[in-house]
């Protein structure tokens, strides 16, 4: 989709399906400004933030991921797509987090050492905030010491860790083993996520659960906090 083509498109005239398709194409092309306009148009039609996220932005990023894997796209293009994704998420964020849900507890979340992918964990942070968790997002490339410092400072109910690379996911076990050695593992609910993980991996490293996506992260957090607080 070129800028010229975009100028000819009147967003208001598109069907919802066509609008989602345009969002996917513009995300692929890394057009942050266009993505913002399209997200705003979708919102003005009463489409829900979750639908806009999943049917527009995440669906576009899935295509980016496949073409990156197949050598059709390279890091600079993927970075532009990631920027466009963040531009769209910045509009949706306040809508996703301000649901007035009662406070559930506190969570610390961060991507593990060696890994700079943060879109997924930012999304989980937003959805957790929307569900009533106070979320401390410590960003990317976190060492054991970074996680420990955040745990000490914020005393969370949940520790969330994200990894998108097969080479960085083993670091989650390094963090959990350290928590065990310090005798604080059982004070925390440890949830892990990221595309290359699985339920079996989470069990193997001693996490409480693997969360396939942000919606599962919300359900799992609510359930395990209720158990921790003796409500289930
Ligand atoms: Co990278 N990258 N990347 N990348 N990148 C992947 C992950 C890859 C699968 C692409 C591919 O080959 N198809 C591949 C990994 C292969 C592997 O390990 N098996 C890969 C690679 C190889 C690399 C580099 C090594 C490339 C290179 O330099 N040669 C490099 C590594 C850098 C590093 O981390 N050290 C690299 C770099 C990058 C960019 C910087 C260009 C950019 C990241 C920008 C950013 O995040 N700010 C990038 C991107 C964007 C991707 C893809 C295309 C998209 C990731 C994404 O944002 N998805 C990705 C391909 C893919 O995943 N299909 C790819 C959208 C997001 C909403 O989904 O992150 O899965 P996701 O999050 C989901 C769930 O997984 C879950 O909930 C989220 C929302 O539903 N979840 C959690 C995630 N974290 C959670 C934590 C929780 C709970 C749930 O805690 C409780």
């Amino acid at each position: 989709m070129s800028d010229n083509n975009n100028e000819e498109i009147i967003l208001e005239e598109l069907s919802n399906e066509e609008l989602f398709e345009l969002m996917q194409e513009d995300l692929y092309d890394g057009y942050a400004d266009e993505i913002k306009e399209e997200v705003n148009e979708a919102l003005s039609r009463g489409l829900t933030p979750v639908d806009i996220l999943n049917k527009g932005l995440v669906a576009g990023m899935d295509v980016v991921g496949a073409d990156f894997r197949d050598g059709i796209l390279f890091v600079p293009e993927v970075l532009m797509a990631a920027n466009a994704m963040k531009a769209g998420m910045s509009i949706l964020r306040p809508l996703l987090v301000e649901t007035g849900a009662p406070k559930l507890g506190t969570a610390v979340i961060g991507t593990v050492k060696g890994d700079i992918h943060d879109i997924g964990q930012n999304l989980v942070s937003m959805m957790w905030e929307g569900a009533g968790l106070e979320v401390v997002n410590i960003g990317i490339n976190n060492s054991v010491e970074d996680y420990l410092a955040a745990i000490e400072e914020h005393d969370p109910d949940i520790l969330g860790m994200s990894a998108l690379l097969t080479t960085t996911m083993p670091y989650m076990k390094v963090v959990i083993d350290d928590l065990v050695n310090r005798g604080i593992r059982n004070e925390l609910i440890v949830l892990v996520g990221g595309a290359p993980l699985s339920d079996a991996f989470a069990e193997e490293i001693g996490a409480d659960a693997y969360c396939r996506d942000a919606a599962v992260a919300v359900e799992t957090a609510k359930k395990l906090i209720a158990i921790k607080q003796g409500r289930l």
Side-chain angles (χ1 to χ4, degrees), residues 38-105:
E38 289 146 19
V39 168
N40 282 326
E41 168 63 22
L43 288 171
S44 75
R45 295 180 187 196
L47 296 167
T48 67
V50 170
D51 266 1
I52 299 169
L53 193 62
N54 289 331
K55 297 183 184 168
L57 304 182
V58 173
M61 192 51 99
D62 284 345
V63 184
V64 172
D67 281 3
F68 189 29
R69 179 195 60 219
D70 297 342
I72 298 166
L73 290 182
F74 297 94
V75 169
E77 290 107 320
V78 179
L79 267 178
M80 285 179 67
N83 275 343
M85 176 103 187
K86 287 186 177 181
M89 280 165 62
S90 71
I91 298 174
L92 298 176
R93 185 177 191 280
L95 304 165
L96 287 167
V97 304
E98 279 164 24
T99 58
K103 187 165 183 280
L104 270 186

Side-chain angles (χ1 to χ4, degrees), residues 1-9 18 21-31 34 38:
M1 184 65 53
S2 74
D3 277 327
N4 281 344
N5 281 344
N6 246 7
E7 272 164 27
E8 289 156 19
I9 293 171
E18 288 167 335
E21 274 170 31
L22 183 65
M23 286 172 73
Q24 292 164 23
E25 287 170 17
D26 283 349
L27 189 121
Y28 187 96
D29 289 335
Y31 292 161
E34 284 79 355
E38 289 146 19

